[in-house]
């Protein structure tokens, strides 16, 4: 499963965990579409169907009752998997997207977890920046320009981490 798919799967799981009541697949799809609109621009609510099925096979969600259409709730293992994912290392590819997905997946007011997610994103970005230090022997002009572009993006994303931390601190204070 690709990184983008696991982010979506975890977002679907988060919606089920965070919901006060069991949800149908359609309601889950609409909730993801609303909550993650800035993260998953190509999301369609039908995507929830396949992810709910995968989560069910993994025993992370289960039908809440015998009603039709089925309504789903998280299992204890699903809640544990959601909690573990929120504070697991950020993926190297698209770290800010990963962090934004996790931030959207926290409980309202859980500022400690939100700050931890931003810290994890910053750690990943710093590791990536460290890998770009120093000259690259034998690099041609285009390779150097590509490294410069990546370095510039990392600097901007590190600034985003600081801005996010400040925004969360404002909510706490």
């Amino acid at each position: 499963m690709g990184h983008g798919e696991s982010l979506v799967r975890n977002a679907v799981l988060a919606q089920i965990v965070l919901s006060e009541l069991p949800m149908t697949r359609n309601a889950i799809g609409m909730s993801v579409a609303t909550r993650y609109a800035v993260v998953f621009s190509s999301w369609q609510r039908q995507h929830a169907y396949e992810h709910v099925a995968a989560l069910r096979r993994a025993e992370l969600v289960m039908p809440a009752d015998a009603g039709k259409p089925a309504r789903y709730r998280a299992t204890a293992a699903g809640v544990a998997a959601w909690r573990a994912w929120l504070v697991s290392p950020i993926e190297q590819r698209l770290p800010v997207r990963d962090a934004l997905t996790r931030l959207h997946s926290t409980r309202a007011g859980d500022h400690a977890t939100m700050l931890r997610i931003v810290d994890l994103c910053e750690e990943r970005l710093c590791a990536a920046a460290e890998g770009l230090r120093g000259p690259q022997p034998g690099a041609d002009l285009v390779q150097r320009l590509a490294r410069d572009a990546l370095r510039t993006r990392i600097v901007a994303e590190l600034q985003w981490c600081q801005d996010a931390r400040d925004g969360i601190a404002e909510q706490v204070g």
Side-chain angles (χ1 to χ4, degrees):
M1 178 177 299
H3 174 65
E5 286 182 39
S6 66
L7 274 182
V8 174
R9 185 198 63 226
N10 283 318
V12 169
L13 177 60
Q15 290 316 285
I16 297 168
V17 169
L18 295 171
S19 178
E20 292 181 24
L21 299 172
M23 301 172 76
T24 64
R25 293 180 303 177
N26 187 52
I28 294 164
M30 290 187 328
S31 179
V32 170
T34 301
R35 191 169 187 144
Y36 300 87
V38 299
V39 182
F40 305 130
S41 59
S42 64
W43 174 263
Q44 295 178 14
R45 70 175 183 222
Q46 300 91 314
H47 294 152
Y49 294 12
E50 64 195 55
H51 292 291
V52 170
L55 292 167
R56 187 169 179 200
R57 284 190 302 274
E59 299 181 355
L60 300 177
V61 302
M62 61 185 282
D65 54 36
K68 296 284 181 191
R71 295 178 308 137
Y72 294 89
R73 67 175 180 78
T75 63
V79 174
W82 165 73
R83 285 185 178 136
W85 166 67
L86 285 177
V87 295
S88 66
I90 295 283
E91 293 291 329
Q92 185 170 356
R93 201 174 142 289
L94 303 172
V96 172
R97 181 176 187 222
D98 189 333
L100 284 170
T101 303
R102 294 174 193 218
L103 289 170
H104 280 292
S105 299
T106 61
R107 291 195 190 279
D110 186 355
H111 299 111
T113 300
M114 293 174 83
L115 288 169
R116 179 70 183 128
I117 291 166
V118 173
D119 289 345
L120 289 165
C121 184
E122 186 174 58
E123 288 170 14
R124 176 59 68 194
L125 290 165
C126 286
E130 188 64 33
L132 293 174
R133 295 186 83 169
Q136 185 181 21
D140 67 14
L141 173 63
V142 175
Q143 289 171 324
R144 287 193 314 267
L145 292 172
R147 282 174 59 100
D148 290 347
L150 183 55
R151 211 177 355 255
T152 300
R153 190 192 92 219
I154 290 171
V155 168
E157 290 178 347
L158 285 167
Q159 181 60 53
W160 174 84
C161 289
Q162 187 57 50
D163 294 345
R165 195 175 286 110
D166 291 346
I168 294 166
E170 283 178 22
Q171 291 291 309
V172 174

